[in-house]
């Protein structure tokens, strides 16, 4: 069988194909906490690989309403597209073999792009940002660091907007052409502050001018008559949409990357 035709990850064609194509299950990704199916989707002579997460396969969580994770994944994609950064692969909500679920373009990660590391040092080397100390052996700790990378910095801003409660290292996918994607956005958009991430290296630092411009555009399109607000209104609750607006306002008011609140574990576990 020939390999599926490649579709540029950010193209409109990819999103349309995901939404309209025939979805065929190829296998299951078994190390995921919820049901994650590896699929192909084909339409009008084109075919791509994708991930399909049916709502019925979601494991209940104490702090998120049941059956809402797929919608949150799509909402994260919508916000990512509104930033212009294209940090989340094309993602749609659609019916499939196991009912309604999230369908996302499969991104093949490119090895060799080191974004996280453990170092035996008290301070990070140039080009790296400190996250915190991690226990690596009994009685021994090492400094966990992430790359001082503009792609990661953009993702840190996106995570602050969508209130990502689970930004792990395994959710970072370096791709062809120097692109970086973030995946697994089911636990986002909570009305309470639940930001948990490995990307704390810029905590308290001023936002870049680019980030401020993006946040201003988000503020406008999240207004009552804004296009993004209309798209999000069918995916998250009115209270969650209001909380998203408030997070954008707070970032613009402070002009800085957020810092851990102390009210919630700041780093997800396991971190990868």
């Amino acid at each position: 069988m020939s390999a599926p035709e490649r579709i540029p990850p950010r193209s409109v064609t990819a999103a349309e194909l995901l939404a309209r194509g025939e979805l065929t299950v190829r296998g299951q990704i078994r190390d995921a906490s919820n049901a994650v199916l590896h699929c192909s989707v084909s339409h009008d002579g084109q075919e791509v690989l994708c991930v399909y997460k049916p709502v019925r396969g979601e494991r209940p969580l104490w702090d998120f309403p049941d059956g809402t994770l797929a919608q949150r994944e799509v909402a994260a994609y919508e916000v990512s597209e509104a930033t212009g950064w294209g940090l989340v692969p094309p993602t749609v909500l659609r019916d499939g073999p196991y009912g309604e679920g999230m369908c996302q373009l499969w991104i093949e990660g490119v090895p060799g792009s080191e974004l996280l590391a453990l170092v035996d040092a008290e301070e990070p080397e140039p080009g790296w940002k400190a996250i915190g100390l991690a226990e690596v052996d009994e009685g021994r700790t090492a400094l966990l660091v992430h790359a001082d990378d503009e792609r990661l910095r953009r993702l840190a801003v996106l995570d602050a907007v969508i209130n990502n409660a689970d930004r792990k290292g395994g959710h970072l996918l370096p791709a062809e052409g120097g692109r970086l994607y973030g995946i697994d956005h089911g636990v986002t958009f909570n009305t309470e502050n639940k930001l948990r991430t490995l990307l704390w290296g810029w905590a308290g630092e001023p936002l870049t001018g680019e980030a401020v411009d993006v946040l201003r555009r988000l503020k406008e399109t999240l207004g009552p008559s804004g296009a993004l607000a209309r798209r999000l209104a069918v995916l998250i609750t009115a209270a969650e949409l209001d909380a998203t607006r408030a997070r954008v306002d707070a970032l613009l008011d402070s002009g800085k990357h957020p810092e851990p609140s102390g009210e919630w574990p700041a780093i997800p576990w396991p971190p990868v």
Side-chain angles (χ1 to χ4, degrees), residues 110-267:
V110 175
S113 179
E114 192 174 15
L115 299 173
L116 298 167
L118 280 169
V119 295
D120 290 317
E122 294 183 358
E123 297 292 336
E125 294 182 357
W128 294 88
K129 289 285 189 177
I131 303 168
L133 293 174
E135 185 174 339
V136 291
D137 293 311
E138 187 173 344
R140 187 172 77 88
T141 60
L143 184 65
L144 182 61
V145 297
H146 66 67
D148 188 1
D149 186 306
E150 68 174 8
R151 301 169 302 170
L152 288 180
R153 192 164 190 172
R154 290 169 177 168
L155 195 58
V157 174
L158 176 67
D159 284 343
V161 171
I162 66 177
N163 197 16
N164 192 351
D166 195 33
R167 175 60 73 204
K168 296 178 179 177
H171 300 165
L172 305 173
L173 293 181
E176 291 181 349
R179 296 291 301 275
L180 177 69
Y181 293 97
I183 60 171
D184 285 348
H185 297 104
V187 286
T188 50
F189 296 99
N190 202 295
T191 55
E192 298 180 11
N193 179 15
K194 292 185 178 291
L195 185 60
R196 274 199 317 177
T197 176
L198 287 177
L199 305 180
W200 286 116
W202 298 281
E205 293 188 14
L207 295 165
T208 64
E210 177 195 46
V212 171
D213 290 341
V214 164
L215 289 167
R216 286 172 177 160
R217 293 199 301 270
L218 284 182
K219 179 180 176 68
E220 182 177 354
T221 194
L222 282 169
S225 59
L228 180 58
R230 293 195 300 270
R231 291 194 292 272
L232 293 183
V234 299
L235 298 168
I236 59 177
T237 68
E240 289 166 343
L241 180 53
D242 284 341
T244 304
R245 294 183 178 116
R247 288 191 295 272
V248 171
D249 287 342
L251 287 166
L252 286 170
D253 288 344
S254 72
K256 298 179 180 180
H257 286 268
E259 299 180 80
S261 67
E263 301 172 357
W264 180 259
I267 297 175

Side-chain angles (χ1 to χ4, degrees), residues 23-65:
L23 194 62
T24 302
V25 176
R26 294 186 168 206
Q28 183 175 3
I29 300 173
R30 297 191 177 276
D31 58 352
S33 56
N34 297 299
V36 181
L37 303 175
H38 187 216
C39 303
S40 61
V41 61
S42 58
H43 177 70
D44 198 23
Q46 292 181 311
E47 185 179 58
V48 293
L49 298 178
C50 62
V51 170
Y52 164 52
K53 298 181 182 180
V55 171
R56 69 172 64 175
E58 294 177 3
R59 183 177 300 177
L61 299 172
W62 69 269
D63 51 350
F64 285 84

